[in-house]
Amino acid sequence: MGQWPNEWFELPLTVFDLETTGFDPQTCQIIEIGMVQFYRGKLEKSYNWLVDPECQIPEDIVKLTHIEQSDVDGQPKFREIARDVLKVFDGRGIVAYNIDFDRTFLKTKLEAIGLQWPAENPWFDPLIFAQHFYPYKSNKLGVVAERLGISLEGAHRACNDAEATGYVFYQLLEQFGRDLPTTLKALTEVQAQYQIENQQRFQNRRNSNNLWGDSASSDNSPKTLTTAFCYGTDEPDPLRAHYKNVPNKKRD
């Protein structure tokens, strides 16, 4: 692991979360970035940026996030804060809930302006651990947080979700620590193993549903994992599945 500590608990973390105008990083834009730094389970510092997307926020996103157009008009554009965002990752492990979405989105936006995602930093996704330890339950962030006794207020605002994600990560590893290694290298290997097992379990469930006629699809073409799978929901629309990952958000 080179410069990184031997024990995962000694690794400083940056937990991040994005709010965006949509699901596709190629065509949609970031409207909020929340980043929270942790060390040894304790919150150290929080960063939050509202971002001018240089486009209109779709009405369904306004309803889901409660971020109005007036909140982002006149705020810094992503290219103006990108280097500051990257600095918050320096020397730290990276954590996000369903990291594939946020990492892909941020990586795409960084590369568009000639910057690089810090690929050398170790990363963790609490969702992978939640899916392993709660394989047949909902694993939306709000549900897992409540299950672990963690408060989540202001859901769907980036900094609040990032803070809850950090506490969920530490609590999951503390609660199930007897089944987990203490070294950073070994824990990343276990995470990779859990991710494969989670995907295989989902695929087996899909195949079983198809066999019993519970799915609209009857062909034998390869199936891909969806955002709905990540959160344990039947929501077919990937954007709504992503933004609905915290269920205790008051909606209009």
Side-chain angles (χ1 to χ4, degrees):
M1 281 288 180
Q3 62 175 320
W4 309 107
N6 183 59
E7 304 293 314
W8 73 261
F9 193 66
E10 297 296 327
L11 178 69
L13 299 177
T14 292
V15 189
F16 81 104
D17 183 76
L18 306 179
E19 303 299 340
T20 64
T21 61
F23 192 71
D24 185 352
Q26 298 294 336
T27 59
C28 300
Q29 305 302 325
I30 296 170
I31 55 177
E32 188 177 33
I33 304 172
M35 308 179 79
V36 182
Q37 293 182 327
F38 284 86
Y39 180 60
R40 294 175 62 89
K42 297 186 182 298
L43 188 152
E44 293 185 311
K45 193 171 183 179
S46 299
Y47 303 81
N48 195 83
W49 290 274
L50 284 166
V51 182
D52 183 352
E54 303 182 79
C55 66
Q56 197 72 20
I57 303 176
E59 186 58 32
D60 59 340
I61 300 300
V62 173
K63 290 180 179 178
L64 287 165
T65 66
H66 287 197
I67 299 176
E68 304 278 352
Q69 191 70 36
S70 59
D71 294 327
V72 296
D73 286 343
Q75 296 292 336
K77 299 172 177 59
F78 177 74
R79 60 181 174 273
E80 297 171 343
I81 62 169
R83 293 184 186 278
D84 293 331
V85 170
L86 281 175
K87 286 179 183 178
V88 185
F89 289 129
D90 283 351
R92 310 181 77 91
I94 299 174
V95 177
Y97 207 81
N98 188 26
I99 197 170
D100 283 347
F101 174 84
D102 297 273
R103 178 175 53 194
T104 299
F105 214 106
L106 188 52
K107 181 175 182 287
T108 299
K109 298 308 177 186
L110 288 168
E111 290 177 349
I113 57 175
L115 299 176
Q116 296 296 315
W117 169 263
E120 70 281 358
N121 294 42
W123 61 271
F124 291 104
D125 184 348
L127 176 59
I128 294 172
F129 292 92
Q131 289 173 329
H132 175 80
F133 292 118
Y134 307 116
Y136 301 107
K137 296 182 179 180
S138 170
N139 286 303
K140 302 172 186 179
L141 176 57
V143 173
V144 175
E146 183 177 1
R147 191 179 294 151
L148 296 172
I150 296 167
S151 174
L152 176 52
E153 298 180 0
H156 291 301
R157 292 308 299 261
C159 219
N160 297 329
D161 286 0
E163 182 176 331
T165 295
Y167 285 123
V168 164
F169 175 70
Y170 280 109
Q171 187 63 30
L172 279 170
L173 269 59
E174 179 178 339
Q175 183 165 323
F176 297 99
R178 65 187 180 278
D179 300 317
L180 297 169
T182 61
T183 66
L184 176 59
K185 183 176 186 296
L187 188 62
T188 59
E189 292 170 350
V190 166
Q191 176 177 244
Q193 176 187 338
Y194 286 174
Q195 187 173 31
I196 293 170
E197 292 172 356
N198 293 340
Q199 292 171 346
Q200 184 60 56
R201 183 171 59 253
F202 171 74
Q203 189 62 62
N204 290 341
R205 286 162 61 186
R206 287 195 63 170
N207 291 341
S208 177
N209 286 343
N210 288 344
L211 178 65
W212 291 101
D214 295 330
S215 170
S217 174
S218 60
D219 61 48
N220 294 319
S221 59
K223 305 298 189 299
T224 57
L225 300 184
T226 67
T227 304
F229 153 68
C230 294
Y231 298 122
T233 175
D234 293 328
E235 170 60 60
D237 180 78
L239 173 58
R240 287 190 171 275
H242 172 70
Y243 278 107
K244 285 182 179 178
N245 72 82
V246 185
N248 54 341
K249 171 70 176 177
K250 181 179 179 181
R251 303 190 187 283
D252 295 333

